[in-house]
Amino acid sequence: MTVEALEETVSGTPAGAGSPRPLSPRQDSVRTLFDRLAGERDRWVERNRAFHEADRAYLRFLVPENASVLEVGCGTGDTLAFLQPSRGVGIDLSPAMVERARQRHPGLEFRTGNAEDPAVLAEIAGTFDVILLSDTVGFLDDIEDTLRHLHRFATPRTRIIVSYHSRLWEPVLGLAETLGLKMPQGQLNWLSSTDIAGLLTLAGWQPVKREWRQLVPRRLLGLGTLINRSIAPLPGVRKLCLRNYVVARPAPRAPEKQPSCTVLIPCRNERGNIENAIRRLPRFCPDLEVIYVEGNSQDNTYEECLRVQAAYPDWDIKVMKQPGKGKGDAVRAGFNAARGDILIILDADLTVPPESLPKFYRAIASGQGEFINGTRLVYPMDDQAMRFLNWIANRAFARIFSFLLNTRFTDTLCGTKVLWKRDYDQIVANRHYFGDFDPFGDFDLIFGASKLNLEIVEVPIRYADRSYGETQISRFTHGWLLLRMVLFAWKKLKAF
């Protein structure tokens, strides 16, 4: 492969791209249409205010606070401004729209130009946390090439968000334009969310999330809002919604070096497992830290942790007491003290074998996933490893949370979860959205990872019976907490 071809593959920009190219006849007609409509834009938005407010609210959910955002097809810049970016750049084909955007939002940067032209994109400096295309795919001459060109603005952590109308609604929207209920759009590309995900994949992006919103894009005296919150998110119904969203990340590349790792072992009344955790743990990376977080045990677990720390001086072992109660508190305390690039939870009951942790490390270090969740429900397990009612509940909750999170989970309650420290710090920074709601620690991480649009991957493990102590899970008390968690997740992830 030539150097020029390699540059094109990595950046999505043809090497040697020079001056801007002329617009195609279709692009010229789009520019003319939106120049003419620029003065009417506010009137159309006001006429369909319920739709636009709900659309922006969901985009605000998808975009982290203080993110840098590039909006391709920004119009008058109102959506970009609503997202409150730390750095906001908008590009649009229509000079009249861009002029209005500059007047309304002087703190943001707006450019007139053809986003399908690499020479125009080359004038925008830097990378962005989020690249947004809101309805823009409907007007592009070559969607795949445009998505490929946008890699020049991406880091491995960048997310591209493509929002568009459902193809099922094409006749309804066409009629609305004819009746003067909707702003004219001209000739559009019509794509399903599956089509958009396929084009993203072809262009070197990896889809990580899809969502459907707004079954009724009108308030209708509150009835439309009620339907959108209670009925529209349901399985089998949601794909009838007007609006769809696809979130993707750059396709992963091989890592340049092995990142450091912290294995966090929350432990309460687990004295008989403390030494076995170290004896059985492989040294799966060059820089490995182990943190025991002890939770006010009655069996001298803390003293055993200190003994093991002294007995294995060739390991980087730290021992600390958690400040509060519950596994969730222990995880937060340990992760705050961790120094590793990658964070791994290993429950001290060792029902997830320490020998399996290299699988989790490989999955995240290679870029195959950004949040790695263990699953105990693929391989056969030991006879006494999980009681039957627990197995039924785990299966049921996995299905429910798969729906709520738009990500397939087979086991949300497996204690072993893995993520990058930098992503955990982002979860902490955005924790106020969900609040301090989770005594288990599992859902704080799962919900946070979902809101950050991380690529979630499951690693099957062989679940073993504990060899020391008794389970600290109460089927009925914790089952009730899980039911409350489902209602909480519905409110925070779907019904808004």
Side-chain angles (χ1 to χ4, degrees):
M1 180 179 286
T2 65
V3 174
E4 290 79 6
L6 180 61
E7 290 175 353
E8 181 174 351
T9 299
V10 174
S11 70
T13 302
S19 59
R21 63 195 184 200
L23 299 180
S24 70
R26 181 167 181 261
Q27 290 169 336
D28 189 60
S29 67
V30 169
R31 181 178 64 177
T32 300
L33 173 64
F34 282 93
D35 278 347
R36 177 171 61 82
L37 293 172
E40 307 173 16
R41 171 72 175 166
D42 290 348
R43 178 170 63 86
W44 288 110
V45 171
E46 180 61 26
R47 176 169 289 186
N48 297 282
R49 179 167 48 171
F51 164 79
H52 289 285
E53 287 181 351
D55 180 53
R56 289 172 184 167
Y58 189 66
L59 289 175
R60 189 71 190 87
F61 172 80
L62 290 176
V63 176
E65 291 184 3
N66 299 314
S68 56
V69 180
L70 170 66
E71 184 177 9
V72 179
C74 62
T76 56
D78 294 339
T79 297
L80 183 62
F82 184 82
L83 298 176
Q84 299 180 314
S86 59
R87 179 195 176 202
V89 178
I91 182 171
D92 199 277
L93 196 58
S94 165
M97 288 283 188
V98 169
E99 181 57 31
R100 283 185 167 268
R102 288 171 177 162
Q103 293 173 1
R104 296 158 77 108
H105 310 292
L108 303 176
E109 179 184 346
F110 296 98
R111 293 172 176 266
T112 302
N114 176 15
E116 298 192 62
D117 187 346
V120 173
L121 295 178
E123 297 175 358
I124 301 175
T127 58
F128 296 85
D129 300 318
V130 175
I131 301 170
L132 173 63
L133 291 85
S134 181
D135 291 319
T136 309
V137 293
F139 302 99
L140 298 175
D141 280 353
D142 192 321
I143 299 171
E144 180 188 340
D145 272 2
T146 303
L147 295 173
R148 195 179 301 278
H149 297 330
L150 294 175
H151 279 284
R152 70 177 302 121
F153 303 113
T155 71
R157 303 182 67 201
T158 296
R159 294 297 179 267
I160 187 167
I161 301 173
V162 180
S163 58
Y164 199 45
H165 303 304
S166 167
R167 191 169 187 172
L168 295 174
W169 281 70
E170 180 180 0
V172 177
L173 296 178
L175 179 61
E177 283 193 26
T178 302
L179 297 176
L181 301 175
K182 177 182 176 297
M183 189 174 78
Q185 301 287 294
Q187 188 182 47
L188 293 172
N189 308 316
W190 282 96
L191 309 100
S192 67
S193 61
T194 301
D195 296 329
I196 293 170
L199 286 164
L200 284 162
T201 301
L202 288 172
W205 300 88
Q206 182 181 51
V208 297
K209 178 182 290 185
R210 291 165 64 184
E211 181 61 285
W212 300 263
R213 313 283 293 191
Q214 299 203 56
L215 188 61
V216 181
R218 296 275 184 173
R219 285 202 176 87
L220 301 180
L221 301 177
L223 180 61
T225 302
L226 178 63
I227 291 172
N228 287 335
R229 290 181 176 178
S230 59
I231 298 176
L234 294 175
V237 177
R238 58 184 181 169
K239 291 190 179 180
L240 300 176
C241 289
L242 167 61
R243 200 67 165 159
N244 58 60
Y245 304 83
V246 182
V247 183
R249 65 167 181 154
R253 299 174 187 167
E256 296 180 359
K257 64 177 183 178
Q258 288 184 281
S260 60
C261 181
T262 295
V263 175
L264 171 66
I265 307 177
C267 47
R268 182 174 182 271
N269 296 326
E270 299 284 2
R271 178 177 57 85
N273 293 322
I274 298 305
E275 185 168 14
N276 277 335
I278 286 294
R279 292 178 61 187
R280 294 172 55 187
L281 182 63
R283 292 183 182 265
F284 52 80
C285 73
D287 187 359
L288 183 61
E289 174 187 51
V290 176
I291 300 179
Y292 288 102
V293 182
E294 192 276 330
N296 303 302
S297 303
Q298 305 300 314
D299 66 348
N300 297 319
T301 295
Y302 182 69
E303 290 73 14
E304 175 67 2
C305 291
L306 294 175
R307 186 193 71 78
V308 168
Q309 180 186 40
Y312 293 83
D314 56 327
W315 283 81
D316 181 8
I317 299 175
K318 296 180 176 61
V319 179
M320 56 187 294
K321 280 184 174 286
Q322 69 180 88
K325 295 182 179 180
K327 179 185 172 183
D329 176 78
V331 169
R332 289 188 284 273
F335 278 1
N336 289 339
R339 63 169 181 80
D341 298 320
I342 292 171
L343 307 176
I344 298 180
I345 302 171
L346 174 66
D347 283 350
D349 59 13
L350 305 187
T351 53
V352 173
E355 293 87 353
S356 68
L357 294 195
K359 297 177 183 289
F360 291 85
Y361 179 83
R362 283 196 301 268
I364 194 167
S366 66
Q368 293 173 324
E370 296 167 303
F371 182 89
I372 314 300
N373 183 65
T375 174
R376 304 162 293 176
L377 303 179
V378 173
Y379 298 130
M381 62 182 70
D382 290 353
D383 290 340
Q384 302 301 315
M386 185 182 297
R387 290 174 289 186
F388 180 70
L389 287 179
N390 291 34
W391 185 88
I392 292 293
N394 276 318
R395 284 290 193 189
F397 283 115
R399 287 183 176 273
I400 293 170
F401 282 107
S402 294
F403 156 66
L404 291 171
L405 298 164
N406 291 330
T407 300
R408 183 175 185 270
F409 279 96
T410 59
D411 185 7
T412 56
L413 293 175
C414 179
T416 300
K417 291 176 170 57
V418 184
L419 71 166
W420 291 94
K421 179 69 158 63
R422 61 185 182 234
D423 288 327
Y424 177 73
D425 291 340
Q426 284 293 304
I427 290 174
V428 172
N430 290 276
R431 187 172 279 153
H432 60 84
Y433 181 81
F434 294 107
D436 186 8
F437 68 98
D438 179 18
F440 306 103
D442 300 289
F443 296 99
D444 177 56
L445 299 178
I446 290 174
F447 291 0
S450 178
K451 191 173 189 312
L452 288 179
N453 303 308
L454 301 184
E455 173 71 1
I456 298 173
V457 172
E458 288 196 318
V459 170
I461 55 92
R462 292 193 177 275
Y463 191 52
D465 190 15
R466 62 163 54 241
S467 59
Y468 173 89
E470 298 180 354
T471 180
Q472 299 176 49
I473 298 295
S474 168
R475 281 179 290 180
F476 299 105
T477 300
H478 290 137
W480 170 242
L481 283 173
L482 284 170
L483 286 174
R484 291 173 58 192
M485 204 79 71
V486 168
L487 296 175
F488 177 84
W490 173 268
K491 178 180 177 181
K492 286 293 186 178
L493 297 170
K494 295 292 186 183
F496 70 92

